[in-house]
Amino acid sequence: MTLPDRMWAALRLNRSALEARARFYSAYARLKPGPFDLRDVAELFRHGPVEGTGARVVNLLGPEPHTLGERLQSVRKPGGRAEWVRPAETADALRNAAIAELLLGTRSGRSTLLQASQGYRHLGLPFGDFLMVAAAGDRARSIAAARLLESVLSGATTADAEPLGRSATATPAQLRYLLFAAAPAITDPRPPAADEPLARRTTPVGSTAQPFSTWWRLGNQLTRWERRAEQNRRDVARTVGELAEAHGRQLELAMADEYHWSSGRARVDLIDLDLAGAVAISARTMRRRSIRPWSFEQDFSGLSPLAGISIEIGLDLGRDDQAPDDYFTFDPQDPLPGPRDDAARRGGQRYTDHD
């Protein structure tokens, strides 16, 4: 699927620019770590030219690397670049590539989004669980997220989580991802999360910097389908529309920079993945519970074309319950699969079974 014509016209972007953006971020994700860290090199030359090199330009990849490499090892400090930095960069690059690909077609975008999700999961971030549930309807991850959410809200420690994950669950942004990921597995008609002081936080979160309380309200609405389903459906539509308009305004402002916008290099997320993911989760949950499905024309027709982009992407993501063939167990420390690795991916192990 691609975007409807009215949204493409409002977006004012050539497909070639999006393709170039996707290629750039995919290539960055596949970069191998360099032989030297720039901070180590700066430290090495902090007091002037290194003995034996003079004042001339030094080619670190030329005949001197052996000597310079030994000296670089000597200046490295234990507190240097943390091990999680490169996996985080890889996951972020894949996320950005997925945003561009989703605008061009759901299949490739979903595949790249799932690769990013497993990178974030490797770091212990609930954002990874959220992306898995949003992109592939991963029921097992929803159940695990619901258990972790209950533990976090009750104040229990999460001893089995990664250190970064333990700290992340204490931040507003990651808490809302945990709630979204858990939503399909929560069946309590009056979820405990709704009464938490968290529901009143106004901390700006997400790419559009909307209040945390608005996102938390949406997350709770995604759990309330047991009673008054039609009323809850209208409530979800209103909150989704509110968040979509904020993203639409952000896109309009970014278009003012015509040079960066036309080349696909504007510093703004063309898709609000938080919103698209929430819409996908709601669509699957409504289908499983035999609730009247979303209709863009009936439920979101009052939105501007730009505001509707993330909703349209979310609706498309939510139409498929199964993970694609390339939903494989991904270690962000390993080389990423290339275009010729389809057979290997199909033979790989899936992360989990799906309903």
Side-chain angles (χ1 to χ4, degrees):
M1 174 216 170
T2 58
L3 289 176
D5 290 342
R6 68 183 186 283
M7 293 183 183
W8 271 119
L11 199 56
R12 288 164 36 198
L13 272 176
N14 291 326
R15 292 172 185 264
S16 59
L18 291 174
E19 290 167 353
R21 186 181 177 99
R23 284 195 303 271
F24 170 80
Y25 283 112
S26 294
Y28 183 84
R30 290 178 168 82
L31 282 178
K32 295 181 179 179
F36 305 111
D37 188 297
L38 288 178
R39 285 172 293 187
D40 294 335
V41 175
E43 178 66 20
L44 183 65
F45 288 88
R46 185 159 63 94
H47 300 295
V50 176
E51 182 181 353
T53 63
R56 59 188 174 81
V57 174
V58 177
N59 181 3
L60 294 177
L61 301 179
E64 295 144 334
H66 179 69
T67 302
L68 290 179
E70 290 177 350
R71 298 188 187 184
L72 282 168
Q73 291 289 343
S74 69
V75 302
R76 280 187 180 161
K77 300 177 181 178
R81 200 177 204 215
E83 292 183 0
W84 57 265
V85 172
R86 179 55 190 166
E89 290 177 342
T90 300
D92 283 344
L94 289 169
R95 181 188 68 85
N96 280 296
I99 288 176
E101 290 175 356
L102 282 168
L103 291 168
L104 298 168
T106 307
R107 182 176 177 80
S108 62
R110 189 198 306 270
S111 174
T112 305
L113 198 60
L114 287 169
Q115 291 180 34
S117 74
Q118 296 195 57
Y120 291 117
R121 276 281 301 155
H122 176 85
L123 296 167
L125 293 172
F127 184 44
D129 298 80
F130 164 68
L131 291 180
M132 285 181 174
V133 175
D138 194 323
R139 184 69 175 170
R141 286 261 51 89
S142 288
I143 295 172
R147 290 171 180 162
L148 179 57
L149 179 66
E150 181 181 1
S151 175
V152 170
L153 293 179
S154 66
T157 57
T158 54
D160 59 337
E162 294 291 331
L164 188 58
R166 288 200 295 272
S167 61
T169 52
T171 66
Q174 294 300 321
L175 270 176
R176 73 192 168 116
Y177 291 135
L178 194 59
L179 175 58
F180 286 151
I186 296 177
T187 57
D188 188 340
R190 192 170 180 275
D195 299 326
E196 291 295 317
L198 294 166
R200 296 186 291 275
R201 285 191 184 182
T202 58
T203 307
V205 293
S207 62
T208 56
Q210 293 304 290
F212 173 84
S213 57
T214 303
W215 288 105
W216 197 252
R217 183 206 324 152
L218 176 60
N220 279 295
Q221 289 168 345
L222 295 181
T223 70
R224 294 175 174 171
W225 301 105
E226 291 294 324
R227 301 176 184 174
R228 302 177 63 192
E230 276 299 316
Q231 178 59 50
N232 191 61
R233 187 181 181 284
R234 290 191 290 271
D235 292 341
V236 172
R238 277 194 294 269
T239 307
V240 165
E242 178 182 343
L243 293 166
E245 287 288 13
H247 184 239
R249 289 192 297 271
Q250 186 183 58
L251 294 179
E252 288 179 11
L253 291 173
M255 285 180 176
D257 181 356
E258 294 184 4
Y259 173 76
H260 288 98
W261 181 266
S262 62
S263 58
R265 289 181 287 176
R267 298 185 64 178
V268 61
D269 285 347
L270 300 176
I271 299 172
D272 185 344
L273 283 180
D274 301 345
L275 180 58
V279 170
I281 290 170
S282 71
R284 286 197 184 91
T285 304
M286 291 160 67
R287 185 166 63 249
R288 287 197 185 108
R289 295 176 181 270
S290 300
I291 298 169
R292 184 164 57 92
W294 293 122
S295 166
F296 192 96
E297 291 73 19
Q298 295 178 11
D299 297 306
F300 306 108
S301 60
L303 297 176
S304 68
L306 288 177
I309 289 174
S310 296
I311 297 176
E312 190 73 43
I313 296 296
L315 291 175
D316 200 48
L317 279 175
R319 291 190 181 102
D320 186 3
D321 268 342
Q322 297 297 321
D325 289 341
D326 46 10
Y327 187 25
F328 59 99
T329 301
F330 167 61
D331 184 345
Q333 306 269 16
D334 291 341
L336 292 174
R340 297 183 182 275
D341 293 332
D342 290 340
R345 286 202 299 269
R346 284 194 294 270
Q349 180 182 0
R350 298 210 175 192
Y351 185 86
T352 185
D353 292 327
H354 300 271
D355 290 345

